[in-house]
Every structure is written in structure tokens, then in C-alpha cells.
């Protein structure tokens, strides 16, 4: 089983921790960017919709799991927002993406180690 999550490291950095029980555990720092004019760091996760693996892709494919994105300043109402779809489509066509100023995509990549 693979577990992945983000946790606060300090005000401007989160850590994405990957844990494969019995094999490895590691962390990757994610540098955050402040919301315009507010100098605060506001990030939220959004899961990706499940996607099937197409025939012929078995040798090498990527599966996006979570989008970890920054909230943005809604200048019309002078508030910080992070609203939109509850799941992100793997083709990255979600409406929320037009407003998110900064994000990370956390996923897994599979590569065949067959020697040809």
C-alpha cells in the first residue's frame, strides 16, 4: 500500500510524505507561495478522478493522485478563495485550474524495467 499526504513543515513549506510499508519512507518539501496582498500561505488538496490505463500504456504510465493548490485572491469581493470542482480530471480541463495561481501534482509513475 502507498500512502501520500502533505503536512505543514513551516509557514512557507509543506512536506509530501511517501510511505511504502516494508520498503521505504521519504519526504519531499513543497515550497508554498503566499496569496497576493495577504502574505499568508493557503493550500488545499483536490483528488483526481480515477482513470483507467489504456491498452498499450502498460510499459510506462503516470497516475495523478492529488492536486495540492494555492487559494487565490478574489479581487471583486476581496476574499481568499479555493472553490470549484471537488475532483480534478486527469486531462487538466477543470474550471478551478484557471484561477489557481500555483499547484503541485502528486502522483505515481510506473515504468517497466524489462530489458529489450
Amino acid at each position: 500500500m502507498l500512502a501520500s499526504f502533505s503536512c505543514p513543515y513551516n509557514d512557507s513549506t509543506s512536506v509530501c510524505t511517501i510511505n511504502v510499508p516494508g520498503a521505504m519512507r521519504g519526504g519531499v518539501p513543497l515550497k508554498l507561495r503566499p496569496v497576493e496582498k495577504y502574505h499568508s500561505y493557503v493550500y488545499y488538496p483536490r483528488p483526481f478522478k480515477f482513470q483507467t490505463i489504456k491498452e498499450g500504456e502498460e510499459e510506462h504510465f503516470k497516475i495523478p493522485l492529488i492536486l495540492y493548490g494555492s487559494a487565490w485572491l478574489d479581487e471583486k469581493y476581496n476574499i481568499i478563495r479555493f472553490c470549484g470542482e471537488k475532483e480534478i480530471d486527469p486531462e487538466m480541463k477543470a474550471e478551478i485550474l484557471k484561477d489557481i495561481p500555483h499547484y503541485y501534482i502528486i502522483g505515481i509513475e510506473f515504468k517497466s524495467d524489462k530489458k529489450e
Side-chain angles (χ1 to χ4, degrees):
M1 174 163 193
L2 174 69
S4 173
F5 56 90
S6 295
C7 63
Y9 180 70
N10 62 35
D11 285 349
S12 64
T13 307
S14 281
V15 175
C16 174
T17 302
I18 309 297
N19 183 22
V20 181
M24 61 150 285
R25 181 184 172 130
V28 177
L30 305 175
K31 183 75 175 152
L32 308 181
R33 296 185 186 170
V35 176
E36 179 185 339
K37 289 186 5 182
Y38 284 93
H39 304 292
S40 59
Y41 304 91
V42 183
Y43 278 68
Y44 296 100
R46 283 288 194 273
F48 276 87
K49 291 180 183 174
F50 178 76
Q51 68 180 17
T52 58
I53 299 160
K54 299 177 183 112
E55 191 172 332
E57 291 183 337
E58 298 90 358
E59 297 293 316
H60 181 203
F61 59 94
K62 297 178 184 179
I63 300 175
L65 300 173
I66 299 169
L67 180 134
Y68 189 56
S70 173
W72 63 90
L73 175 63
D74 181 331
E75 292 191 15
K76 182 176 180 181
Y77 298 104
N78 198 32
I79 60 171
I80 296 173
R81 292 186 181 267
F82 192 87
C83 51
E85 293 91 340
K86 296 294 180 195
E87 289 182 314
I88 306 297
D89 60 290
E91 294 81 31
M92 301 292 288
K93 295 179 183 173
E95 279 291 312
I96 193 175
L97 296 174
K98 70 178 179 45
D99 294 314
I100 297 174
H102 182 248
Y103 58 84
Y104 290 97
I105 296 175
I106 300 167
I108 53 177
E109 181 175 6
F110 294 93
K111 294 180 183 179
S112 174
D113 64 352
K114 286 194 265 184
K115 308 270 190 228
E116 298 201 27

